[in-house]
Amino acid sequence: MSRVKVKDLEFELSIPEEKLLAAVEKVAEQMNKDLEGKNPLMVCVLNGSFMFASDLMKRLTIPCEISFVKLSSYSGTGSTGKVKELIGLNENIEGRTVVLLEDIVDTGLTIINTVEQVKQMGPADVKVATMLFKPDACKRDVTLDYVGMDIPNDFIVGYGLDYDGYGRNLKDIYTVVE
């Protein structure tokens, strides 16, 4: 599909599934090298990163575990500027390497808040992997250890990303048509 309608907005294809999976493969290869022997805990930030986390986990060859946290900072097409923790991390991460798996880093607010919360739990190291990064939207100084791809500062849906809860199921990524 070259165009889709999600709720009241039109979107056009911007990143096909094949390109997304190639980016995931690149991230997995780097993680397999960097995290060898570290027994990392992958922490999938829900809801958006579930597709990225699933595809990534299938490509990791290192021993690792996965857990999930649910955070929210969006409403409609824009950030609310506030991060709410909805479901927390239940594992003991003291002394472990933790890798936060994000779908997208744009303003940087969510990931900075999440890293700070995780650091308070005493891990040996906290790393950040994001499928997508919007450098032009980033308002904070963020450290991203693994980035699938940089993208423009456009509103997108698909591959786990949504518009008011809809569009996450699309296998490709679509950009809003202005």
Side-chain angles (χ1 to χ4, degrees):
M1 295 183 286
S2 63
R3 277 193 172 223
V4 296
K5 185 171 184 170
V6 178
K7 293 186 73 176
D8 58 335
L9 296 178
E10 291 281 331
F11 294 83
E12 63 186 9
L13 180 66
S14 56
I15 309 171
E17 180 184 31
E18 300 77 33
K19 192 170 180 181
L20 294 168
L21 294 177
V24 173
E25 183 68 37
K26 177 186 79 167
V27 169
E29 286 174 8
Q30 192 60 49
M31 282 185 175
N32 285 327
K33 290 177 192 164
D34 294 351
L35 302 173
E36 179 67 38
K38 296 191 189 261
N39 188 30
L41 175 64
M42 305 296 170
V43 178
C44 174
V45 180
L46 296 173
N47 286 340
S49 64
F50 74 97
M51 283 194 179
F52 172 50
S54 173
D55 286 338
L56 180 68
M57 290 298 288
K58 291 180 236 177
R59 289 162 175 79
L60 292 177
T61 57
I62 54 172
C64 60
E65 295 176 273
I66 189 165
S67 188
F68 302 86
V69 293
K70 187 171 181 179
L71 306 169
S72 176
S73 67
Y74 263 75
S75 178
T77 61
S79 177
T80 63
K82 296 180 183 173
V83 176
K84 301 179 287 189
E85 181 179 355
L86 304 176
I87 301 171
L89 189 62
N90 297 321
E91 287 78 7
N92 178 359
I93 62 169
E94 199 168 323
R96 289 196 69 183
T97 296
V98 174
V99 182
L100 297 170
L101 305 178
E102 267 285 15
D103 54 350
I104 190 166
V105 173
D106 45 25
T107 65
L109 173 68
T110 301
I111 199 59
I112 286 174
N113 182 280
T114 306
V115 167
E116 287 308 311
Q117 288 182 32
V118 170
K119 282 183 176 178
Q120 292 175 11
M121 300 171 76
D125 195 12
V126 179
K127 295 190 175 292
V128 176
T130 185
M131 180 62 202
L132 305 167
F133 177 51
K134 291 183 178 180
D136 293 338
C138 196
K139 297 176 179 167
R140 305 283 198 295
D141 184 19
V142 297
T143 300
L144 303 175
D145 301 282
Y146 308 98
V147 177
M149 63 179 72
D150 289 357
I151 61 169
N153 188 18
D154 298 322
F155 185 71
I156 58 176
V157 297
Y159 198 69
L161 297 147
D162 73 301
Y163 169 43
D164 277 347
Y166 291 90
R168 292 189 195 277
N169 59 310
L170 300 167
K171 65 180 181 156
D172 307 297
I173 290 181
Y174 294 81
T175 301
V176 71
V177 176
E178 299 291 333

